[in-house]
């Protein structure tokens, strides 16, 4: 089935999970699309089977808390930031709930975490105004970048370059093999007046960068020239939460959450609103992602919702 406007409009909630007692703050699909992992402010990590539409297990992280969870390339492992004790990043074996390694170094809250799409390298950024590069096999930081403000970061789809958004006004692109030489290009954008940048994502074709915020705008920027392409708006964010924005796998659509519990969808090329999907989420939808392999969407407030299309594509 192709993802076209009328198919997107037909998405309906197929399953709702109500395991969490507090806000789900981060979700991540495995690269194969078979599994989804979430973490919540109730210190729970929940793993879901996307094919069966079931919850497979729950792991508690009561001591350190959990945020910014990501699957690694090894099966049954994940990395996450901490919300208690310290700002160490933790590498967790999910099948036996044991930590494989700790990555200490940040001195304030970690606000961005992303894993390379091709290797065991990951980036972390913190309110301590640093961006750190790590290898999962070593607890020692592989690279340290001092920045002028709050960072957000993302790898490009080939894992060759990474983007760092700084101070909600500029995007710096680094070559992973020579990041210590500094960025090879810097795009200066208009300073956000009413919100902060809270996330960056490259489209799967590598041509654009999606900038999510803790306000009621989402930006789309040309990844080669830094030109502003679109501003997606019309969704509600009156609570200053870092609402996630995500691409569909074909880079055609952008999905975003909303504090009114709905999911908004825009056309990435035109910037036009395609539809607003009503999930009956009882609280703000902070997390929204499209499955990388299957025709399925996940959105989360305190509850987790799995969405499926209800029409057949007639094309």
């Amino acid at each position: 089935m192709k993802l076209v406007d009328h198919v997107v409009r037909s998405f309906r909630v197929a399953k709702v999970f109500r395991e969490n007692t507090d806000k789900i703050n981060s979700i991540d699909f495995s690269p194969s699309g078979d599994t989804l992992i979430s973490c919540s402010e109730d210190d729970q990590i929940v793993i879901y089977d996307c094919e069966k539409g079931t919850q497979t297990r729950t792991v508690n992280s009561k001591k350190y808390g959990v945020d910014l969870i990501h699957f690694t390339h090894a099966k049954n492992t994940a990395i996450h930031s901490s919300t208690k004790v310290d700002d160490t990043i933790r590498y967790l074996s999910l099948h036996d709930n044991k930590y494989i390694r700790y990555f200490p170094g940040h001195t304030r809250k970690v606000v961005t975490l992303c894993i390379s799409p091709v290797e065991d390298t990951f980036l972390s950024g913190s309110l301590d105004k640093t961006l750190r590069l790590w290898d999962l096999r070593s607890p020692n930081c592989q690279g340290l970048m001092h920045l002028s403000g709050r960072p957000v970061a993302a790898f490009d789809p080939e894992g060759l370059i990474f983007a760092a958004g700084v101070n909600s006004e500029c995007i710096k692109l680094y070559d992973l093999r020579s990041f210590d030489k500094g960025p090879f290009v810097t795009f200066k954008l208009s300073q956000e007046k009413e919100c902060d940048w809270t996330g960056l994502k490259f489209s799967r074709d590598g041509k654009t960068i999606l900038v999510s915020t803790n306000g009621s705008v989402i930006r789309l920027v040309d990844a080669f020239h830094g030109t502003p392409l679109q501003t997606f708006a019309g969704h509600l964010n009156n609570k200053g939460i870092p609402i996630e924005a995500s691409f569909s796998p074909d880079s055609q659509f952008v999905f975003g959450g909303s504090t009114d519990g709905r999911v908004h969808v825009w056309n990435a090329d035109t910037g036009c609103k395609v539809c607003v999907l009503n999930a009956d989420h009882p609280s703000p939808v902070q997390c929204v992602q499209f499955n990388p392999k299957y025709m399925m969407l996940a959105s989360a407030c305190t509850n987790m919702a799995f969405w499926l299309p209800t029409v057949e594509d007639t094309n």
Side-chain angles (χ1 to χ4, degrees), residues 16-18 20-25 40-41 236-239 241 243 256-264 277-288 299-305 307:
V16 178
F17 302 90
R18 298 181 174 87
N20 293 101
T21 57
D22 208 336
K23 181 174 71 178
I24 294 169
N25 51 28
S40 165
E41 292 182 5
L236 197 63
N237 187 2
N238 53 14
K239 295 189 170 21
I241 63 171
I243 286 180
S258 183
T259 50
D260 65 5
R262 300 190 294 176
V263 174
H264 293 246
L277 300 170
N278 194 351
D280 295 326
H281 275 294
S283 52
V285 176
Q286 182 170 323
C287 305
V288 182
S299 63
C301 62
T302 309
N303 302 337
M304 170 70 75
W307 302 71

Side-chain angles (χ1 to χ4, degrees), residues 160-174:
L160 298 174
I161 66 170
F162 62 87
V166 187
N167 256 350
S168 306
E169 65 175 347
C170 69
I171 296 174
K172 298 171 183 283
L173 299 185
Y174 294 82

Side-chain angles (χ1 to χ4, degrees), residues 195-214:
C195 59
D196 297 315
W197 292 356
T198 52
L200 291 187
K201 287 182 187 176
F202 277 88
S203 57
R204 196 180 268 194
D205 60 14
K207 292 177 180 173
T208 58
I209 299 170
L210 192 61
V211 183
S212 45
T213 73
N214 58 8

Side-chain angles (χ1 to χ4, degrees), residues 187-235:
F187 305 136
K188 187 88 165 61
L189 286 89
S190 300
Q191 170 88 47
E192 294 292 346
K193 299 279 192 296
E194 295 174 2
C195 59
D196 297 315
W197 292 356
T198 52
L200 291 187
K201 287 182 187 176
F202 277 88
S203 57
R204 196 180 268 194
D205 60 14
K207 292 177 180 173
T208 58
I209 299 170
L210 192 61
V211 183
S212 45
T213 73
N214 58 8
S216 49
V217 291
I218 300 161
R219 310 279 185 202
L220 188 69
V221 178
D222 184 292
F224 299 108
H225 306 108
T227 321
L229 298 175
Q230 303 293 349
T231 295
F232 306 111
H235 59 299

